[in-house]
Amino acid sequence: MRLMIINGPNINMLGIREKNIYGNVSYLDLLDKINIWAKELGVDVNCFQSNHEGEIIDFIQKAYFDKYDGIIINPAGYTHTSIAILDALKSVNLPVIEVHISDIYSREEFRKKSFIKEACLTSIIGHGIEGYHMALELMQKELKERKK
C-alpha cells in the first residue's frame, strides 16, 4: 500500500510558528513520526510539503500517475481558498483524507470553510499531529475494504 502525504503552506514551520496552536513538534519530528507509524502499519509513504499551490497540484497528479493508492493531505491555508486543489483531488479519483492539526472550526470565521473536504472520505481535525496517525489507520482500513 502506497500513500502520498501532502502538506501545504507553512507546515514546514511547525515548532516555530504559533506554538499555542500547533505545538512544539517540528516538521522533521512530524516526518519521523509519520515514518514510524507507516512502518508499524506496513504502509509505504511519500511525504511532500510545499508553500506553492501549483507544486501541491503537481504532487496530487503524481500520486495518480505513479500509482499511489491514496492521498492524505493537510492543505493548510489552501483549505479555505483553493478550488484548484479541490479540482486536482477530484480529477485523480483516489481516496483522500484531509488532516488539520488545529481545530479549524473553532478558529477564525474564514477557516471554518473547507473547499477540500468535498473530495475527501473524511476530515480529521484538531487532533494535533496524532491526526496523521489516525489518517494512516483509516486509509489502511479503507483500502483493505476496497480490495475485498
Side-chain angles (χ1 to χ4, degrees):
M1 184 176 315
R2 297 177 64 220
L3 301 177
M4 180 77 72
I5 299 180
I6 301 173
N7 286 292
N10 300 310
I11 301 298
N12 61 311
M13 299 299 285
L14 288 177
I16 299 167
R17 66 180 285 223
E18 301 173 284
K19 292 180 183 183
N20 59 319
I21 297 172
Y22 300 103
N24 293 317
V25 176
S26 73
Y27 183 63
L28 292 178
D29 292 337
L30 171 62
L31 294 178
D32 288 343
K33 288 278 196 186
I34 288 171
N35 285 314
I36 289 167
W37 294 326
K39 186 175 181 180
E40 289 171 353
L41 293 168
V43 175
D44 181 30
V45 295
N46 181 5
C47 296
F48 172 76
Q49 186 276 327
S50 180
N51 297 317
H52 304 281
E53 186 177 32
E55 288 182 353
I56 293 168
I57 291 166
D58 289 344
F59 261 77
I60 291 167
Q61 293 174 2
K62 179 178 175 52
Y64 174 82
F65 289 112
D66 289 355
K67 307 287 189 235
Y68 280 81
D69 298 302
I71 297 171
I72 295 171
I73 186 167
N74 181 344
Y78 288 131
T79 302
H80 325 288
T81 64
S82 183
I83 302 301
I85 290 175
L86 169 64
D87 288 346
L89 290 169
K90 286 179 166 183
S91 73
V92 297
N93 197 31
L94 292 169
V96 179
I97 296 176
E98 175 185 29
V99 173
H100 293 284
I101 295 168
S102 71
D103 181 356
I104 60 174
Y105 298 116
S106 68
R107 296 185 61 194
E108 303 93 339
E109 194 61 35
F110 67 87
R111 292 189 197 275
K112 295 178 183 179
K113 172 69 175 164
S114 169
F115 288 107
I116 305 307
K117 76 177 183 177
E118 185 179 320
C120 299
L121 299 170
T122 192
S123 300
I124 299 172
I125 295 170
H127 292 278
I129 66 164
E130 180 63 25
Y132 289 88
H133 190 197
M134 296 165 70
L136 284 165
E137 290 176 331
L138 282 171
M139 186 66 80
Q140 181 188 48
K141 182 179 177 184
E142 174 69 22
L143 291 170
K144 282 182 179 179
E145 286 295 316
R146 288 182 181 211
K147 286 186 178 181
K148 287 184 178 180

